[in-house]
Every structure is written in C-alpha cells, then in structure tokens.
Amino acid sequence: MTIHYQDDLVTVYAGDSLEVLPLLPDASVDAVVTDPPYGLGFMGKEWDKGRMLGQMAIGNETRGAYAYGGSHDRGYADHDADGFQVWSQQWAAECLRVLKPGGHLLAFGGTRTWHRLAVAIEDAGFEIRDSI
C-alpha cells in the first residue's frame, strides 16, 4: 500500500482498491469518493479492459468476476455487465466495512453502466440516497 498524499487531516492511498481496502481497519474512514473504471473499454486503454479478478460467491453461485468491460474496438456488445456489477459489489462492500457510522460513499459512473454500479453499491449494503 502506497501513501500518495498525507497531511494532518487526510491520507490518500494509491493502489488497487481490492488490495488497499482490506488493509484498512473497520470503521476507520470518514468518506469515500471514487471514480472507478466504467467497464466500457474506454478508448482502448489498458486500465479499462477486461481482467479476471478471481472467484466470488454470490448466493449459491460461484463465478469469475471480470473487473472491466470489453475492448473499445469491439464496442458495447463486448461489455461484461454482470462481471462489472460483481466487481463493483466487491469494492463497495469493502468501502462499507471501512466507513465510520454515518460515513458516505460518492461514486461516479458511466452513462451506460451507472445502473449496474448503483445496484452493486446497494447489494453491498449501502442505502442509496441521491443520484446527481
């Protein structure tokens, strides 16, 4: 875990959320503001292409979770909506664990995937209050 910035009031960590969040103690964060990858294969950038995250159990089903959607060249049809939602639920659940009581999560989402993001955040245990 790398500290990107720190002062008397704030610490900003740099790294994969699924690697950094598990290292933080329960109820230790005041707020989470995130602009996660949208899972759309944005302009062919490596950080927004599909990559296997491993297995996650959902109900009685275990399946692989792809973090990000398909390549830009193949378009939206290549988007892995279910995998994006599973991945979003994974990091959102960790955010809920590290947030102090009354803490808030503000998450930005892409126009074609925000609904999956919202469902994942709700399934992780958050109450959806507002959408801007």
Side-chain angles (χ1 to χ4, degrees):
M1 175 166 48
T2 303
I3 295 177
H4 178 72
Y5 173 82
Q6 187 172 31
D7 65 22
D8 293 340
L9 300 174
V10 67
T11 302
V12 177
Y13 297 98
D16 185 315
S17 62
L18 293 177
E19 295 172 3
V20 174
L21 287 168
L23 301 176
L24 300 177
D26 293 354
S28 63
V29 173
D30 293 307
V32 175
V33 179
T34 182
D35 188 10
Y38 297 168
L40 296 173
F42 180 71
M43 296 176 59
K45 301 292 184 184
E46 287 299 316
W47 53 263
D48 204 28
K49 288 185 179 178
R51 67 181 173 91
M52 191 65 169
L53 290 175
Q55 300 293 317
M56 178 180 183
I58 298 179
N60 294 326
E61 180 182 344
T62 301
R63 60 182 167 186
Y66 286 90
Y68 316 126
S71 69
H72 177 69
D73 296 336
R74 295 178 66 189
Y76 185 68
D78 192 35
H79 171 71
D80 178 14
D82 290 336
F84 174 77
Q85 189 168 328
V86 168
W87 170 74
S88 296
Q89 185 177 346
Q90 286 178 313
W91 62 256
E94 277 298 303
C95 288
L96 184 62
R97 181 189 64 78
V98 302
L99 276 170
K100 293 177 182 177
H104 289 80
L105 168 72
L106 175 62
F108 296 83
T111 56
R112 291 181 285 174
T113 56
W114 71 268
H115 60 292
R116 296 277 184 171
L117 177 64
V119 169
I121 289 170
E122 187 175 50
D123 287 350
F126 282 95
E127 176 183 332
I128 305 294
R129 294 273 180 100
D130 294 302
S131 179
I132 299 172

